[in-house]
Amino acid sequence: MLRVDAHDYKGADVRGKVVLVMNDDPSGDPALFGGKTRLWYGRWDYKYLEAARHGAAGAIVIHATPSAAYPWQVVTSSNAREKFELPAQGEPRLVAKMWATEDASRRIAALGGQDLDRLRAAAESRSARPVALGIRLALPVDADVRRIESANVLGVLPGSDPALAKEAVVYTAHHDQFEAARKRALAR
């Protein structure tokens, strides 16, 4: 199923399915998503969150250098190692978060009798609707899931204002930044 943003699900049932999504947002209409302005709603992480929120089992983000604003090499080098995350209890999650080159995405669309360029052109319209490709893909992946302990710390200090009780302020830093600073200090 090809989709552009959360509103393009338009009631489509994607529970347990894998969605094929465009990176970025439609840019032809300046009133829609800010035109060519890159917004969070067009980013891959938002696409994954929305797919999970709609019950999808997985999402494949279509990589095209113009829409992503970076070459395929960035995707491969950014995903060459294991990833860590802290799952929020009860938060919907994807079983598989994937990327595909434009050529691979073209082949996926063609398996469902669709033309990727026509689907993308149609997606520029506010009236765009999801398109079920009606195909099954077997994508074997070797993966090990393991739990680790980290030196990172998370703390919560609840505020006293009931009107702001559900809001949060997050202060964050990377532990490795402190380690690098410590090593520089020791080298002096």
Side-chain angles (χ1 to χ4, degrees):
M1 174 161 303
L2 180 73
R3 85 178 244 313
V4 179
D5 73 275
H7 302 292
D8 282 342
Y9 280 99
K10 294 183 176 148
D13 182 7
V14 298
R15 288 175 296 175
K17 298 177 180 155
V18 175
V19 294
L20 179 64
V21 299
M22 293 170 43
N23 194 20
D24 206 11
D25 291 318
S27 58
D29 180 356
L32 183 63
F33 298 111
K36 294 188 184 300
T37 303
R38 292 188 179 276
L39 301 173
W40 181 60
Y41 306 104
R43 288 181 42 89
W44 54 269
D45 51 344
Y46 182 79
K47 304 290 182 160
Y48 289 151
L49 286 170
E50 282 300 301
R53 210 171 63 132
H54 284 84
I60 303 171
V61 176
I62 301 168
H63 179 274
T65 299
S67 66
Y70 44 80
W72 177 249
Q73 176 202 3
V74 172
V75 174
T76 58
S77 63
S78 297
N79 292 289
R81 299 186 326 210
E82 64 187 349
K83 300 283 183 181
F84 301 102
E85 61 186 12
L86 296 172
Q89 190 170 0
E91 179 180 288
R93 304 182 49 82
L94 295 176
V95 175
K97 298 175 182 177
M98 301 169 277
W99 285 83
T101 63
E102 193 167 13
D103 288 339
S105 300
R106 238 180 254 301
R107 291 193 300 272
I108 292 168
L111 287 170
Q114 299 291 330
D115 177 85
L116 184 63
D117 293 325
R118 277 199 289 265
L119 290 172
R120 281 197 282 211
E124 288 286 332
S125 165
R126 288 178 187 260
S127 63
R129 303 218 34 97
V131 174
L133 297 176
I135 62 172
R136 287 183 168 270
L137 294 175
L139 303 167
V141 176
D142 291 328
D144 294 319
V145 177
R146 64 187 176 103
R147 292 186 181 271
I148 65 162
E149 289 191 26
S150 169
N152 295 326
V153 177
L154 176 68
V156 177
L157 298 173
S160 58
D161 185 342
L164 301 174
K166 293 191 183 252
E167 293 186 22
V169 175
V170 177
Y171 179 75
T172 182
H174 289 273
H175 178 71
D176 56 346
Q177 291 172 332
F178 295 118
E179 184 63 20
R182 185 183 71 80
K183 286 181 180 177
R184 281 194 302 272
L186 291 174
R188 289 186 193 153

